[in-house]
Amino acid sequence: MWRRLLILFFFQMALFQGNAAATDLIWGAVVDLDRETGTLNLRMMGASEKSAFHRARHERVRVRFFPEDLPDGIRPGTIVNIWGEPIPGKTPAFTATAIQRERRAHADPTGVRSRLGRAGHNGAGGHGS
């Protein structure tokens, strides 16, 4: 019985990990948004490397979201990070599973630039050493 529960547990964990790894990340500035219909247009600034949008280099993407999932303070001009899935079709479109307002003064949605900058302050490593 324990063996079956253990196998079931690991199967569910693997399924959860697969879904989390399947989401793409895009980021950019909100051009316009309609909270009632759950759509916004995004002027893309970047996308995760595994994303189809990273390779295609789209300038504008239409994003669909659940209105109740949109954080407060999102309006045209706001820089946002959006996780989700591309919608197949001729025009670039994306279904959002999570939207987060960019809180940094610069676009660093993954935090890599920030970590690289800190690496040089301890006297070893970092850029150019």
Side-chain angles (χ1 to χ4, degrees):
M1 178 160 151
W2 285 106
R3 188 176 192 182
R4 286 184 184 179
L5 287 174
L6 192 60
I7 291 171
L8 181 61
F9 172 76
F10 282 117
F11 179 73
Q12 287 178 337
M13 290 303 292
L15 186 62
F16 174 74
Q17 294 275 341
N19 288 339
T23 52
D24 288 358
L25 168 64
I26 61 173
W27 60 92
V30 175
V31 176
D32 58 47
L33 108 111
D34 186 344
R35 291 177 188 273
E36 293 170 6
T37 62
T39 58
L40 66 84
N41 285 312
L42 184 76
R43 182 176 43 85
M44 274 192 49
M45 298 170 143
S48 59
E49 286 188 22
K50 68 176 187 133
S51 171
F53 292 124
H54 179 76
R55 292 181 294 280
R57 302 276 185 198
H58 295 294
E59 185 173 311
R60 299 263 172 125
V61 176
R62 184 151 193 91
V63 179
R64 298 177 145 229
F65 60 89
F66 289 109
E68 61 271 10
D69 292 341
L70 187 69
D72 292 334
I74 305 287
R75 58 182 141 285
T78 304
I79 307 295
V80 292
N81 297 330
I82 303 175
W83 289 266
E85 301 287 328
I87 300 172
K90 291 182 181 181
T91 59
F94 200 76
T95 299
T97 55
I99 300 174
Q100 182 181 37
R101 185 178 179 162
E102 179 66 47
R103 299 193 190 284
R104 296 183 179 97
H106 61 282
D108 184 17
T110 60
V112 171
R113 290 186 191 123
S114 172
R115 289 191 297 276
L116 284 173
R118 285 194 307 257
H121 296 295
N122 63 5
H127 260 25
S129 38

